[in-house]
Amino acid sequence: MASREGLLLDPVYGGKAFAGGLPVPTPFGIIYSSNITPDPETGIGRWPEAAFRRAMRSGVDRDGRHLYPTFPYDHFTNVSDEDDRALYAYLMTRDAVHAAARENQLSFPLNQRVVVAGWKLLFLHRGTYQPDNTKSAEWNRGAYLVEGLAHCGACHTPRNALGAERASASFAGGDVDNWHAYALNAQSPSPVPWDAAALYAYLHRGWHPDHGTARGPMAEVVSNLSQVPPSDVRAIAIYMADVFGPPPPDRKREGEAVLAQAKSASPAAAQADPQGAAIYAAACATCHESGRPPPYGGINLGLSSAISGPDPRNLANIVLSGVRPVEGERSPIMPGFADSMNDGQIAALLDYLRTRFGNQPPWTNTADIVRDIRRTQTVSLQRDKP
């Protein structure tokens, strides 16, 4: 019954840092994040450090109640005592905010926390991260961060019927807030294989010319990583590059061909969808075929993972809400088209982009996904951080 967000490390809700109240949608209902300011009545002001560490390691609050695994203690169990101590000290020095917890929207029996005890017996594996002596210190630092505090697998790993990560499909891609978190292993849909240098640039700056721009929940991750020492971001990139693994020869050749095509003339326009082609020519080609660098030139769409992905959700999100610039970077920008295109026009555009720039079979449910995303996601997407 886990989702992908942590209740412990939520940023700002209603303008009050760490005051909780953020809705976390799950397949089982909505769970709201907790107030973790040092307020003694509604926060964790009366929690001793031992209680805080127990929450991190075992998912149990000060009063002995089981915490829902939307708080990713199945990852935080890997965090060291030293880092738990630092987190506790940091939170206890934040401004106290009096904000009572919102009631979760879960049906019976999932609204009974005793159910969580059974979930833990099945899926919670306790024990801090143990370094791999056959790997470098930088690799181990990256592994510690990815498997613990960063809990990357919480989004990028598919889940079973009980909401737990499928250990046999680690980093094979997952679903989060109507976005698809792409596979971070050999199943990655990226037209160009990732390497450590590209991963570092993407995580550090929020975009990479061969891979595009971080959007949706990943944009928030990149925003948070902007406050992390570059050495830690580089360690994460090195570890994740090892998870991706070196591309096999045919995959490497395909990536090189895509890059070569991106540097040459634009591919011939597909004629199968004149409506989509016309929309693309009017709304997209001016930027995406200009050859101009960011921020005013668009990424070459032949390099887009959103176009080569398993479904059109991410691309629909981007077209509806646009791309805002990364602060301090010459990153791509793009207007949203939610107000200027109807669902049919956007679906026609997405199908055209898939046909023209992708090398995968056509999507079959584009119109339904566009309609669903417009209904549920557009407002929240407008709040995305760059």
Side-chain angles (χ1 to χ4, degrees):
M1 52 197 301
S3 178
R4 83 285 176 272
E5 291 292 346
L7 302 189
L8 182 66
L9 302 178
D10 280 330
V12 177
Y13 176 71
K16 304 294 186 180
F18 304 108
L22 288 170
V24 181
T26 80
F28 313 100
I30 295 177
I31 297 174
Y32 292 93
S33 61
S34 304
N35 180 349
I36 55 171
T37 73
D39 179 70
E41 300 295 332
T42 62
I44 61 171
R46 292 181 179 149
W47 285 41
E49 184 179 323
F52 177 83
R53 186 178 298 113
R54 183 174 68 167
M56 290 285 286
R57 299 280 175 82
S58 301
V60 176
D61 73 6
R62 189 196 67 163
D63 298 322
R65 298 186 309 162
H66 291 287
L67 299 174
Y68 287 105
T70 44
F71 170 38
Y73 46 79
D74 54 335
H75 285 272
F76 291 163
T77 187
N78 288 311
V79 177
S80 68
D81 289 345
E82 180 181 10
D83 282 346
D84 276 342
R85 189 172 302 113
L87 283 168
Y88 178 78
Y90 174 78
L91 291 173
M92 286 301 180
T93 55
R94 301 308 91 192
D95 292 335
V97 179
H98 189 85
R102 299 175 67 176
E103 186 174 351
N104 296 322
Q105 298 175 16
L106 298 170
S107 58
F108 182 85
L110 299 179
N111 60 352
Q112 306 299 308
R113 291 180 183 263
V114 68
V115 173
V116 182
W119 188 93
K120 290 179 182 178
L121 287 174
L122 293 172
F123 303 116
L124 179 59
H125 306 289
R126 294 177 174 84
T128 55
Y129 173 76
Q130 298 300 315
D132 184 341
N133 294 328
T134 68
K135 301 290 187 178
S136 69
E138 197 169 26
W139 185 98
N140 275 288
R141 176 63 176 170
Y144 168 76
L145 293 171
V146 166
E147 304 295 347
L149 290 169
H151 58 286
C152 304
C155 287
H156 290 277
T157 296
R159 295 181 178 274
N160 62 25
L162 296 179
E165 293 176 34
R166 289 167 47 198
S168 61
S170 181
F171 296 112
D175 300 319
V176 49
D177 288 355
N178 229 3
W179 289 76
H180 180 69
Y182 296 124
L184 300 181
N185 55 21
Q187 301 174 43
S188 168
S190 175
V192 178
W194 287 91
D195 58 25
L199 283 165
Y200 171 74
Y202 181 85
L203 295 172
H204 186 60
R205 299 187 301 172
W207 72 284
H208 187 278
D210 295 347
H211 295 281
T213 304
R215 297 305 303 139
M218 193 62 202
E220 298 180 10
V221 171
V222 169
S223 178
N224 290 335
L225 287 176
S226 68
Q227 304 174 54
V228 171
S231 59
D232 279 347
V233 179
R234 193 175 304 279
I236 290 172
I238 287 173
Y239 174 70
M240 288 312 306
D242 194 47
V243 172
F244 275 100
D250 58 339
R251 179 85 166 89
K252 185 176 181 180
R253 285 192 297 268
E254 290 172 1
E256 291 171 348
V258 168
L259 284 175
Q261 179 64 61
K263 295 175 182 178
S264 66
S266 180
Q271 301 300 318
D273 186 353
Q275 181 188 14
I279 295 170
Y280 171 77
C284 313
T286 301
C287 289
H288 286 284
E289 296 188 16
S290 68
R292 292 180 295 178
Y296 303 112
I299 182 177
N300 186 294
L301 294 177
L303 302 173
S304 171
S305 293
I307 290 175
S308 61
D311 63 52
R313 275 177 294 171
N314 292 8
L315 187 59
N317 282 326
I318 293 168
V319 172
L320 280 167
S321 292
V323 175
R324 281 176 282 176
V326 178
E327 184 177 356
E329 297 285 347
R330 291 179 60 86
S331 61
I333 59 175
M334 175 184 146
F337 295 95
D339 296 330
S340 58
M341 293 187 195
N342 61 37
D343 291 353
Q345 291 170 323
I346 291 179
L349 174 62
L350 302 192
D351 286 337
Y352 171 78
L353 295 176
R354 175 76 162 188
T355 300
R356 178 175 176 184
F357 296 100
N359 58 359
Q360 301 295 325
W363 292 312
T364 59
N365 56 345
T366 310
D368 293 338
I369 286 180
V370 170
R371 183 171 55 252
D372 181 60
I373 288 175
R374 187 189 289 274
R375 183 178 67 249
T376 62
Q377 288 298 101
T378 303
V379 172
S380 64
L381 288 174
Q382 301 297 339
R383 298 196 302 263
D384 282 350
K385 300 177 182 179

